[in-house]
Amino acid sequence: MRVLGVDPGLTRCGVGVVEGVAGRPLTMLGVGVVRTPADAEIGMRLVAIEQGIEAWLDEHRPELVAVERVFAQHNVRTVMGTAQASAVAMLCASRRGIPVALHTPSEVKAAVTGSGRADKAQVGAMVTRLLRLAAPPKPADAADALALAICHIWRAPAMNRLQQAHAAAHASRIPAKAPTTASVRKVPR
């Protein structure tokens, strides 16, 4: 499975591509950051992020895009920019018919480090180790994008089994055929 991880942000949008399957060594195919100037108009910044993500999609042809789920922060302005960049990533993937998965920061940290409360340095160190890199990717947004891709590759088999079990359980509760009026008995009053 080839996954493009996206750590959304207006100034620095981390992107990283990882290929592999759960239980086997993973391979980094690319890592970087799509940057926009903080003083540019918001519309132009979003266009720049779109162009950057489109270029990554063209170059790496991922099977899935994993995006960090936006969570509430104290700074509303920061969360709005993150949400806007996240929406651009989801739009770019969906336009091409590429499935999108959302993972919370704590899910990603737990998958990569074993602790949902790990700091950025711990995530960077584990990404370096898991992908057999010489040094942690810089800036941290790039390492976070790789961590998102790793998280999805590792969690996808379990998530698929849960979805299949849920679908099977739901299907078993739905009658195969709705009763017809002829089979409904009227109760005398």
Side-chain angles (χ1 to χ4, degrees):
M1 169 179 275
R2 182 177 292 191
V3 177
L4 170 65
V6 178
D7 181 39
L10 272 180
T11 304
R12 290 183 319 271
C13 182
V15 286
V17 181
V18 176
E19 188 169 62
V21 295
R24 299 254 170 106
L26 303 173
T27 304
M28 180 190 75
L29 301 179
V31 65
V33 176
V34 176
R35 296 179 187 272
T36 68
D39 60 348
E41 192 267 326
I42 184 70
M44 296 313 298
R45 295 177 81 183
L46 295 174
V47 168
I49 291 169
E50 177 195 26
Q51 291 169 343
I53 291 173
E54 290 287 351
W56 277 82
L57 293 171
D58 286 341
E59 182 178 348
H60 294 284
R61 306 257 183 241
E63 298 166 57
L64 186 129
V65 174
V67 180
E68 184 175 274
R69 183 183 300 272
V70 178
F71 62 97
Q73 296 177 343
H74 297 294
N75 186 341
V76 174
R77 191 170 179 187
T78 300
V79 80
M80 286 300 295
T82 302
Q84 291 164 334
S86 177
V88 169
M90 290 186 282
L91 174 70
C92 291
S94 297
R95 183 185 296 139
R96 293 170 179 242
I98 302 171
V100 174
L102 301 174
H103 298 284
T104 66
S106 59
E107 286 173 344
V108 174
K109 291 173 185 178
V112 174
T113 70
S115 169
R117 296 176 183 240
D119 63 23
K120 289 207 176 275
Q122 291 169 310
V123 171
M126 284 305 296
V127 164
T128 302
R129 192 168 169 197
L130 293 168
L131 296 175
R132 300 168 312 283
L133 304 175
K138 299 280 185 195
D141 309 276
D144 289 348
L146 291 171
L148 274 152
I150 292 167
C151 172
H152 187 78
I153 290 169
W154 284 358
R155 290 177 54 107
M159 289 169 51
N160 289 341
R161 285 192 299 273
L162 284 171
Q163 288 171 345
Q164 289 169 352
H166 177 71
H170 182 69
S172 69
R173 287 182 277 177
I174 298 173
K177 202 161 97 172
T180 63
T181 55
S183 65
V184 176
R185 279 189 12 197
K186 294 196 179 202
V187 178
R189 293 185 183 191

